[in-house]
Amino acid sequence: MVLFKTWLLQGIFHSAPGYIEIDGDQVSFTLIDTGTFGKNKLNGLLNNNEAFECIANGEAVKVFDISRQDARFESPWYMFSGGGVLSFSGQAYKLSFMQPQNTKFPYQRLGIIRESDFADFSDGRKFGKRFRSYMNNPDSIW
């Protein structure tokens, strides 16, 4: 199983931290903080009227759990391979594997603090390149 810090993005102002989990062919994304989202915007984006309140109360909220064969990942040039758009079943989520400047990753919510996690830019790009290859090539393994 692989876990990697990931931010949900919307527009140029909104981001919220969470993590992507890869387990075999399953890919899931879980939010652990509300980031810069307001209640209505986050609940609307996730189509979940309880999401904001759950996260604000310290609970993690699973955004999706899908098989990679059912999804497509595209990484636009301006994300420098450090993120992209994951699409499936008529839904699209813009994800970043590099920390946006308006949302710090809440390591304390996961009970960890590691210095190696602060090598954000290069780690995010490296993970993004590997994630794109994994998602878009059914023969690739993690």
Side-chain angles (χ1 to χ4, degrees):
M1 175 176 28
V2 174
L3 292 174
F4 197 82
K5 61 186 183 227
T6 303
W7 284 261
L8 176 65
L9 306 176
Q10 186 181 47
I12 59 172
F13 297 112
H14 295 293
S15 62
Y19 57 89
I20 224 147
E21 182 176 342
I22 300 168
D23 191 3
D25 281 340
Q26 288 298 116
V27 177
S28 64
F29 176 64
T30 302
L31 281 178
I32 61 171
D33 195 85
T34 58
T36 61
F37 283 92
K39 180 178 181 178
N40 292 336
K41 188 161 276 297
L42 186 63
N43 288 350
L45 179 63
L46 301 183
N47 198 25
N48 177 345
N49 290 331
E50 306 294 320
F52 187 91
E53 211 166 280
C54 288
I55 295 169
N57 288 328
E59 298 174 43
V61 170
K62 188 162 284 195
V63 177
F64 59 79
D65 187 0
I66 56 162
S67 170
R68 72 173 167 161
Q69 286 82 9
D70 298 333
R72 179 87 179 134
F73 184 73
E74 297 175 339
S75 184
W77 68 268
Y78 56 84
M79 293 191 88
F80 304 106
S81 299
V85 179
L86 185 67
S87 304
F88 59 91
S89 302
Q91 298 175 310
Y93 294 98
K94 189 173 182 183
L95 305 172
S96 177
F97 308 124
M98 299 182 293
Q99 180 173 292
Q101 292 305 303
N102 64 349
T103 312
K104 300 293 183 195
F105 193 83
Y107 291 97
Q108 72 281 3
R109 285 253 179 132
L110 297 177
I112 57 170
I113 294 181
R114 301 181 323 197
E115 261 185 62
S116 63
D117 290 327
F118 296 100
D120 186 61
F121 188 75
S122 61
D123 288 350
R125 289 190 69 211
K126 183 178 175 182
F127 182 84
K129 289 175 184 177
R130 188 165 181 193
F131 186 72
R132 182 178 59 220
S133 175
Y134 168 80
M135 289 300 296
N136 297 331
N137 181 354
D139 297 328
S140 70
I141 58 171
W142 190 263

